[in-house]
Amino acid sequence: MTDASHAPTSITLVRPDDWHLHLRDGAALATTVPHAAAQFARAIVMPNLRPPVTTAQLAVEYRQRILDALPAGAAFEPLMTLYLTDRLPPEEIVRAKAAGVVALKLYPAGATTNSDAGVTDLRHAYPTLEAMQKAGMPLLVHGEVTDPSTDLFDREALFIDQKLIPLRRDFPELKIVMEHVTTREGAHYVRDAGPFTGATITPHHLLYNRNALFIGGIRPHYYCLPVLKREVHRLALVEAATSGSGRFFLGTDSAPHAAHLKEHAVGCAGCYVAHAAIELYAQAFERAGALDKLEAFASLNGPAFYGLQPNSERITLKREGWTVPESYPLGEATVKPLGAGETLDWAIARG
Ligand code: DOR
Ligand code: ZN
């Protein structure tokens, strides 16, 4: 449907999936699961709980807690992941595959929230990576070096040179997803790396550059890892997402933290976007004049990379301004969503 100026007033898409999502656990699930299920048919659920999800058994139990938090009648399939450690036994990959686990997540130790149990040296994990390559189990990568002497803004580009290029060489057929890619270097690496490499891109990295962290004072709700970068990088991500390349797909990295723990002397990293993810992506794609590329990015490229079918239902977005609430409950605390108090142009048509 279009109005006189040819700007569409609604768009209909195959129902999207979220290929990178933090749902947390316990009481938080009452907020995060309904938000995700209102938008997406499936989501890849990150395993960085405390303690981390390191066995097939823990993943199966966590999956059930997620399903128990679904609103009545909601259809939503959590796709579970395991947390890679230095010593995850290769046999666990076979058990994980049999239990329906779809991928493993690599957190370099110390890179981000709950990453202390992560990998200290990728060579320790080589037998497990071998088993993954054999099983066709993708490796989802938090692509930042952790050496504290490196500049925070350079950590993704350094990771590509120091870790990803050697990993790709040693495991040529391991499916690798560079999660939440944030730089021009990352986008170009993935664009050129061949069919076994993909990347997710968050709505916040498409909409904001690092200035957002400092407008009029420090803005902790825009702080996530990898951190927002310069405008030149944001533009490269927009170009990648809207290019039509199947290597790039939707992954929100929605990562809720209690507001008081972000508004803190040592604020937590993570932006909460699950309340309005597809609306935020629509905003970014429309600003780039590329709404026609949204469906491939949001609904088709991810399933194709993972060897799954796209969803059969559709959703409709209407051009209908709405104001994002200032907060949502998160257990006994609250979470401040991205865009709190701001008006978004697009809304999911309900019912
Ligand atoms: O900002 C982030 N928050 N980046 C991550 O990699 C983890 C996430 C979280 O779990 O809070
Ligand atoms: Zn994440």
Side-chain angles (χ1 to χ4, degrees):
M1 240 198 294
T2 54
D3 66 13
S5 68
H6 302 296
T9 54
S10 76
I11 26 173
T12 297
L13 315 170
V14 168
R15 189 171 197 87
D17 304 301
D18 186 348
W19 300 95
H20 184 123
L21 176 64
H22 299 267
L23 291 172
R24 311 300 193 209
D25 207 349
L29 296 176
T31 300
T32 59
V33 174
H35 276 162
Q39 300 240 328
F40 301 110
R42 297 171 286 199
I44 293 232
V45 180
M46 288 295 128
N48 61 333
L49 306 181
R50 275 183 197 282
V53 181
T54 49
T55 65
Q57 181 61 32
L58 286 171
V60 167
E61 289 165 12
Y62 182 30
R63 180 172 182 276
Q64 189 58 50
R65 294 196 294 281
I66 295 166
L67 294 176
D68 291 344
L70 271 177
F76 175 71
E77 190 184 354
L79 302 172
M80 306 311 291
T81 60
L82 294 194
Y83 185 115
L84 186 66
T85 64
D86 281 348
R87 317 237 168 264
L88 192 103
E91 309 81 66
E92 195 63 30
I93 301 303
V94 179
R95 280 193 285 275
K97 182 118 185 159
V101 168
V102 299
L104 274 85
K105 179 70 192 283
L106 164 65
Y107 290 103
T112 187
T113 309
N114 295 350
S115 65
D116 350 333
V119 173
T120 61
D121 183 340
L122 262 176
R123 278 168 301 187
H124 295 152
Y126 265 34
T128 309
L129 295 173
E130 199 74 66
M132 288 168 59
Q133 179 170 254
K134 201 164 149 216
M137 183 81 93
L139 179 69
L140 315 183
V141 172
H142 183 110
E144 290 191 286
V145 296
T146 54
D147 177 350
S149 70
T150 57
D151 191 287
L152 183 80
F153 292 94
D154 295 338
R155 288 183 187 173
E156 183 171 295
L158 290 169
F159 183 89
I160 294 169
D161 291 341
Q162 296 175 10
K163 311 285 179 190
L164 200 50
I165 290 173
L167 183 68
R168 188 25 90 227
R169 186 192 59 224
D170 292 345
F171 296 94
E173 299 205 345
L174 177 65
K175 281 191 186 177
I176 298 177
V177 183
M178 219 179 145
E179 299 294 341
H180 41 54
V181 65
T182 64
T183 59
R184 182 174 53 182
E185 290 86 344
H188 289 182
Y189 173 78
V190 170
R191 180 191 67 190
D192 300 334
F196 290 96
T197 307
T200 53
I201 309 181
T202 77
H204 30 302
H205 290 95
L206 291 174
L207 287 167
Y208 302 103
N209 65 32
R210 65 191 191 177
N211 285 351
L213 285 158
F214 305 107
I215 294 173
I218 191 140
R219 302 271 186 157
H221 295 286
Y222 292 92
Y223 174 57
C224 63
L225 287 171
V227 72
L228 294 170
K229 303 293 192 305
R230 282 181 182 277
E231 179 67 1
V232 64
H233 298 292
R234 188 190 71 81
L235 290 172
L237 300 178
V238 170
E239 189 191 318
T242 61
S243 67
S245 161
R247 304 278 147 73
F248 298 98
F249 35 91
L250 185 160
T252 62
D253 197 20
S254 181
H257 289 275
H260 68 278
L261 297 178
K262 286 185 70 64
E263 298 160 9
H264 190 275
V266 186
C268 297
C271 298
Y272 189 67
V273 295
H275 62 295
I278 194 68
E279 297 92 328
L280 291 162
Y281 281 111
Q283 196 119 12
F285 275 64
E286 178 159 50
R287 281 185 199 157
L291 270 178
D292 60 323
K293 299 292 197 311
L294 181 61
E295 183 178 53
F297 175 80
S299 316
L300 306 178
N301 298 348
F305 185 87
Y306 278 88
L308 300 170
Q309 290 300 313
N311 298 308
S312 48
E313 327 93 81
R314 292 171 167 266
I315 62 162
T316 295
L317 295 175
K318 287 193 177 150
R319 187 183 300 284
E320 191 178 280
W322 63 285
T323 304
V324 176
E326 287 295 337
S327 69
Y328 293 103
L330 187 73
E332 311 221 310
T334 60
V335 60
K336 199 169 169 84
L338 198 80
E342 292 172 24
T343 300
L344 299 183
D345 295 343
W346 293 95
I348 298 186
R350 307 279 171 198

